[in-house]
């Protein structure tokens, strides 16, 4: 992979994230508003950990299985939708608590699991990586180092983007000066919005 090809890849990934918020970004916005940015770093860690497994699956050809099995794709996707709706409704019905970031739902393990499960139940991601990476790999050079570079670059850009959205969500919540119950309702609505975006995903590569 030449420097020119890598820069084209970097630009492509940057453009991919320079769009309105998607499922993972709405997730980090909602949790940063509810728990604060620092605790929501666990959500980002869970999301990126799932991405690593999805990239590995794509590298081993599991994307072809998902792409050719409409049933498998739909089952995984709708489990994710149901999970997000359930979390969103729980947030909306919560009466609040002692303050932002001080509720039991803000435990690191729970936030990591939320980010991980939400990302893993998006089967489109595996197909996306399987379609993206080969476009930038030089077949006359060792494949594994190139995959590691492409994967690491994606994770860095994705992590930076999520961090930016999380910071924005944290700042908005701080400036709203609203009750925690109101913040919960807003965050619950964002989670249900994330579920709707996931539900609209199909096997065709699109944002």
């Amino acid at each position: 992979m030449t420097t020119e090809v890598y820069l084209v890849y970097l630009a492509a990934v940057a453009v991919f994230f320079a769009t309105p918020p998607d499922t993972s970004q709405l997730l980090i916005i909602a949790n940063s508003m509810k728990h604060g940015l620092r605790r929501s770093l666990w959500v980002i860690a869970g999301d990126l950990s799932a991405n690593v497994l999805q990239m590995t699956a794509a590298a081993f050809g599991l994307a072809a299985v998902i792409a050719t099995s409409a049933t498998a794709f739909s089952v995984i996707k709708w489990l994710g939708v149901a999970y997000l709706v359930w979390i969103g409704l729980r947030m909306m019905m919560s009466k609040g608590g002692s303050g932002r970031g001080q509720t039991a739902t803000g435990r690191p393990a729970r936030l990591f699991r939320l980010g991980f499960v939400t990302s893993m139940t998006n089967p489109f991601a595996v197909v996306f990586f399987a379609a993206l990476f080969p476009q930038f790999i030089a077949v006359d050079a060792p494949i594994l180092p190139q995959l590691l570079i492409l994967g690491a670059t994606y994770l860095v850009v994705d992590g930076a983007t999520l961090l930016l959205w999380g910071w924005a969500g944290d700042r908005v919540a701080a400036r709203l000066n609203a009750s925690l119950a109101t913040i919960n309702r807003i965050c619950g609505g964002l989670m249900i919005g994330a579920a709707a975006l996931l539900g609209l995903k199909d096997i065709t590569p699109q944002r």
Side-chain angles (χ1 to χ4, degrees):
M1 184 189 347
T2 64
T3 301
E4 291 77 10
V5 170
Y6 175 77
L7 291 176
V8 170
Y9 170 77
L10 182 60
V13 172
V15 169
F16 178 75
F17 285 109
T19 61
D22 70 354
T23 304
S24 294
Q25 292 162 3
L26 285 179
L27 183 70
I28 188 63
I29 292 170
N31 282 276
S32 290
M33 290 183 69
K34 181 175 175 61
H35 303 295
L37 178 59
R38 181 176 297 180
R39 282 180 178 264
S40 294
L41 294 177
W42 289 102
V43 178
I44 297 177
D47 182 278
L48 297 182
S49 297
N51 284 165
V52 171
L53 293 181
Q54 289 161 335
M55 291 175 189
T56 303
F60 279 95
L62 297 182
V65 176
I66 294 175
T68 55
S69 176
T71 300
F73 185 91
S74 294
V75 168
I76 295 171
K77 180 180 75 172
W78 290 110
L79 283 174
V81 170
Y83 179 68
L84 286 173
V85 169
W86 176 64
I87 295 293
L89 290 175
R90 285 188 62 189
M91 282 186 175
M92 294 179 76
M93 291 186 294
S94 175
K95 294 181 180 180
S98 56
R100 289 180 66 219
Q102 299 179 27
T103 62
T105 57
R107 292 192 299 267
R110 181 189 178 280
L111 294 176
F112 180 91
R113 183 173 67 249
L114 178 61
F116 182 85
V117 172
T118 300
S119 185
M120 282 300 294
T121 53
N122 178 9
F124 167 79
V126 181
V127 180
F128 171 76
F129 290 131
L132 176 67
F133 290 166
Q135 309 301 319
F136 301 93
I137 289 177
V139 296
D140 57 347
I143 302 298
L144 181 58
Q146 296 181 80
L147 284 174
L148 291 175
I149 292 172
L150 295 176
T153 299
Y154 182 93
L155 292 174
V156 169
V157 176
D158 190 8
T161 303
L162 291 174
L163 190 61
L164 182 60
W165 282 111
W167 175 83
D170 186 37
R171 292 298 88 204
V172 168
R175 290 180 179 276
L176 277 178
N177 195 29
S179 67
L180 188 56
T182 299
I183 295 294
N184 285 338
R185 287 192 288 271
I186 294 172
C187 294
L190 289 173
M191 296 291 286
I192 293 174
L197 287 178
L198 180 57
L200 292 173
K201 295 275 189 180
D202 58 32
I203 211 67
T204 303
Q206 60 184 14
R207 186 66 169 165

